Amino acid sequence: MMKVTFTDSVKYQAITAAPVFTDNRHSAGADTLDEASAGAISRAQKGSRFSGKPGQTLEIKAPSGIEAQSALLVGAGDRDKADALCWEMFGAHALKAVQLSGADTLVYDMRGLDASASAHAAFGALLAAYRFDKYRTTLKDEKKPSITSLQFICDDSSTAKRAFAPLHETAQGVELARNLVSEPANVLHPENFAKRAQSLEEFGLEVQILDEKDMKKLGMNALLSVGEGSNFGSKLAVMSWFGAKDSKAAPLVLVGKGVCFDTGGISLKPGAGMWDMKGDMGGAAAVTGTMRALAGRKAKANVIGIIGLVENMPDAAATRPGDVVTSANGQTIEVQNTDAEGRLVLVDALWYGLRFKPRQIIDFATLTGAIIISLGHENAGVFSNDDALAGALDTAGKASGETVWRLPLGAGYDKLIDSKIADMKNIGGRAAGSITAAQFLHRYIDDTPWAHIDIAGTAWKDKSDDPREPTWATGYGVRLMDRFVAQTCES
Ligand code: BES
Ligand code: MN
Ligand code: ZN
C-alpha cells in the first residue's frame, strides 16, 4: 500500500496539491503557492473554468519560483460545510487527477486546516488509489500508477498522524474486502476463503473454522444443502475480537453470505453476466474486512464475525427444486428454487450467531437482484426488527458515506413464504422479492435486535462516479460497520 507521511515542514516537490474553496477562495496552502510562484497560480485560474467546486482540479505545470514539477489546485467546495466526507472526496479527486502522471509523490499542502481534514483526505486518497492488477501481465508502464507516496503538510503533523492511524486500518479493511470480491472463484473457493480468514489471526483475531463434519453434527443442513454440488467443502469461519473493557460484555455479531460462486445450482442462471457471481461472497468480504479493520485499530468493542462459505453448483449430488431440508433450529424448508441459496446459508449462520447471545446481530448479503430494482446502486437495503438499530445504521451510513435505506417487514409478506408441505419455502414469488427474502431470515430471529443488509446493488458496480470507488469491487460495508461500531459500541 501507499506510503503516507505527515510533516510540519514546507517543501514543495513532485506534485503539490492545495485545496481551493468555492468561488476560488484559496486555502492558506494555495495562497502560499501563488505567492511563491509570483501569481502564476491565479493567472492560470483566471483563464480556466476552475472555481473550487468538488471534483474540479487544475494542474499548473512547472510554475516559476517553486521546485515542484506542478501545482495542483483541487476543489474543496464550501469551506463552512467541509466535513470528513468532503475531505475524503478532496483527497480522492487529487489522487485520481495525477495517479498515472509519472510523479512518485503527491504532496498535499493542508496548512490552515485542522488535523482531521488531513487524516480524512489521506483516507480518501487511499480508497481512490486501490487497483486490482494482479492478473494483468501486459499492462504498459505508462498505464501503471506512478504515485507511491503521499505527504501532508499540516500545522500539527503529530495530531494529524494520530487521527490517521485508525483510518489507515479501516482503509486496509476495505482493501481486503475489495481483494476478496475481485478474486475469481477458481482461486477464492470456500476452502481458500477459510484459509484467508484463518490468516487474520496475525492481527490478534481469534479464528475458528467449522468444516462439513462439524456443521453436520450441529444440523446445519440448510447451509450444507447449498454446497452439495461443489467439489469444495463448505466452511463456517468465526472471527472474534474481544476489545471491550469488559471482555464478557455481550458481543455484536456480524454474519456474511459467502457464496464463492453462484451458478444458481439446478435452477441455473442464464449465462450472460454470470461471471459477476464470483462476487456473491460480498457479504462475507464485508464482515472479514470489518474484522480486519477493528482488530487493526484495536477497537474497544466485542465483535464476532461469522461467514458461511459455500459454492452453489449444478451436479448429480446437488440439491433439487422441491427437496426439503431441515435447518439447525429444526425448521423445515422446501427448496423450490436452488438459486435462492443465500438465505439458506444465512439462516444457519444466524442460528450459530445467536448462540453467542449478541446485543445485536447484523447480516450482510448480496441476497436479491430485486434490491437493485428497488434502490439501484446508491443505497443498500436494510430490514430490521428494531427501530433503534435501523436508526443507528442510518446514522452510520450517512457519516461513512455507505448509505442504507430501510424497507418494511410485515405479516402479509411473511405469508408469501408458507409452504404446502414444509414450514416454509425459499421463494415468495415475483412480488416484493427482497422483502420475502428478509422475511425468511426473520423466521430465525428471536427477540435479538437484528438487521439484514442487502448489498446486491452496492458490493460491486460496473461504473461509479465516486473516486473512492475505483474498481468493480467496492468493499461496501466495511466503512459502514467500522463507523457503526465506533458510534454504538465504543462511545
Ligand atoms: N446472488 C443472487 C442475488 C444477486 C443478483 C446478487 C444479482 C447480485 C446481483 C441470489 O442468490 C439470487 O440468485 N437471488 C434470486 C432469488 C430468486 C430466485 C428468488 C434473484 O434475485 O433472482
Ligand atoms: Mn442465487
Ligand atoms: Zn446468490
Side-chain angles (χ1 to χ4, degrees):
M1 211 185 225
M2 192 87 73
K3 189 172 159 225
V4 184
T5 53
F6 298 86
T7 172
D8 300 312
S9 69
V10 182
K11 186 163 162 266
Y12 297 133
Q13 48 165 325
I15 297 175
T16 298
V20 174
F21 300 98
T22 310
D23 298 325
N24 275 323
R25 285 174 58 210
H26 279 183
S27 62
D31 256 344
T32 351
L33 276 172
D34 199 26
E35 276 159 35
S37 66
I41 306 293
S42 15
R43 273 202 306 289
Q45 264 176 280
K46 269 201 201 96
S48 82
R49 288 185 165 171
F50 179 89
S51 65
K53 285 200 190 112
Q56 289 184 331
T57 54
L58 179 67
E59 191 174 4
I60 300 115
K61 309 268 185 179
S64 55
I66 59 178
E67 258 170 70
Q69 83 184 51
S70 70
L72 180 69
L73 299 183
V74 183
D78 189 336
R79 183 170 194 143
D80 306 317
K81 293 193 186 128
D83 58 12
L85 292 187
C86 294
W87 288 114
E88 274 181 26
M89 290 294 268
F90 160 84
H93 278 300
L95 185 278
K96 277 279 154 206
V98 299
Q99 189 179 23
L100 308 180
S101 62
D104 57 5
T105 303
L106 173 57
V107 181
Y108 291 78
D109 191 334
M110 302 295 280
R111 281 173 299 157
L113 300 159
D114 62 21
S116 122
S118 292
H120 284 278
F123 181 56
L126 288 187
L127 295 173
Y130 177 77
R131 310 259 300 199
F132 188 77
D133 287 339
K134 65 188 278 198
Y135 295 115
R136 305 182 61 126
T137 66
T138 57
L139 196 62
K140 298 209 171 57
D141 278 345
E142 69 262 29
K143 292 268 174 70
K144 289 182 186 159
S146 60
I147 303 283
T148 54
S149 156
L150 306 175
Q151 204 184 92
F152 290 81
I153 303 173
C154 24
D155 298 332
D156 179 357
S157 64
S158 60
T159 305
K161 191 176 169 189
R162 244 180 293 122
F164 174 65
L167 292 169
H168 194 193
E169 300 300 326
T170 307
Q172 289 173 88
V174 175
E175 182 186 34
L176 172 59
R178 288 173 175 177
N179 283 341
L180 292 168
V181 171
S182 304
E183 201 66 74
N186 60 331
V187 176
L188 195 75
H189 48 68
E191 294 169 12
N192 274 344
F193 198 144
K195 281 187 195 140
R196 296 286 294 268
Q198 187 98 57
S199 75
L200 295 183
E201 283 173 341
E202 108 182 60
F203 299 103
L205 287 164
E206 226 174 83
V207 182
Q208 194 198 355
I209 309 290
L210 276 64
D211 63 16
E212 291 190 350
K213 224 176 86 219
D214 301 323
M215 287 191 276
K216 188 118 233 157
K217 230 182 270 165
L218 292 165
M220 298 171 70
N221 296 307
L223 185 152
L224 289 169
S225 75
V226 178
E228 301 287 17
S230 172
N231 279 335
F232 303 107
S234 300
K235 306 277 180 192
L236 191 83
V238 183
M239 300 164 273
S240 307
W241 174 254
F242 285 92
K245 264 202 202 96
D246 176 5
S247 67
K248 294 268 180 335
L252 168 69
V253 168
L254 306 178
V255 172
K257 167 180 172 181
V259 177
C260 293
F261 197 80
D262 181 13
T263 64
I266 299 298
S267 313
L268 194 64
K269 286 182 182 296
M274 200 203 277
W275 45 84
D276 278 353
M277 288 302 139
K278 72 172 181 177
D280 207 20
M281 29 53 70
V287 170
T288 308
T290 300
M291 298 310 296
R292 156 73 185 85
L294 295 177
R297 67 176 183 76
K298 307 223 178 311
K300 291 187 172 47
N302 297 339
V303 185
I304 300 176
I306 302 172
I307 54 177
L309 302 169
V310 301
E311 184 184 48
N312 188 21
M313 297 293 272
D315 182 82
T319 299
R320 290 158 288 260
D323 285 0
V324 175
V325 299
T326 304
S327 54
N329 78 350
Q331 296 190 82
T332 56
I333 304 160
E334 182 187 359
V335 181
Q336 286 196 337
N337 189 322
T338 62
D339 197 13
E341 85 297 342
R343 61 201 75 181
L344 301 174
V345 174
L346 286 171
V347 293
D348 276 343
L350 283 165
W351 169 82
Y352 196 85
L354 289 175
R355 307 197 329 165
F356 297 102
K357 305 216 177 322
R359 55 184 274 165
Q360 292 158 325
I361 188 162
I362 304 175
D363 73 76
F364 281 84
T366 50
L367 202 62
T368 65
I371 203 69
I372 309 174
I373 308 301
S374 306
L375 300 175
H377 305 282
E378 300 300 312
N379 287 285
V382 60
F383 302 82
S384 183
N385 62 359
D386 187 275
D387 291 344
L389 175 54
L393 286 166
D394 183 62
T395 305
K398 286 181 175 126
S400 66
E402 291 189 326
T403 52
V404 297
W405 195 263
R406 191 176 184 185
L407 289 147
L409 293 163
Y413 297 114
D414 182 74
K415 273 167 74 108
L416 298 175
I417 54 169
D418 284 340
S419 158
K420 290 206 180 82
I421 65 159
D423 296 339
M424 67 196 100
K425 53 186 182 178
N426 76 329
I427 51 170
R430 267 180 62 76
S434 303
I435 305 177
T436 50
Q439 292 295 159
F440 187 92
L441 307 179
H442 191 214
R443 288 198 182 195
Y444 285 79
I445 304 297
D446 47 23
D447 309 329
T448 309
W450 157 74
H452 155 58
I453 305 184
D454 193 333
I455 60 170
T458 52
W460 65 77
K461 299 179 187 178
D462 282 329
K463 195 168 96 348
S464 172
D465 295 331
D466 187 329
R468 296 166 302 178
E469 294 177 340
T471 60
W472 177 77
T474 60
Y476 182 95
V478 176
R479 282 175 275 167
L480 172 66
M481 271 306 102
D482 184 66
R483 182 71 221 155
F484 177 85
V485 169
Q487 174 192 297
T488 63
C489 306
E490 294 183 279
S491 60

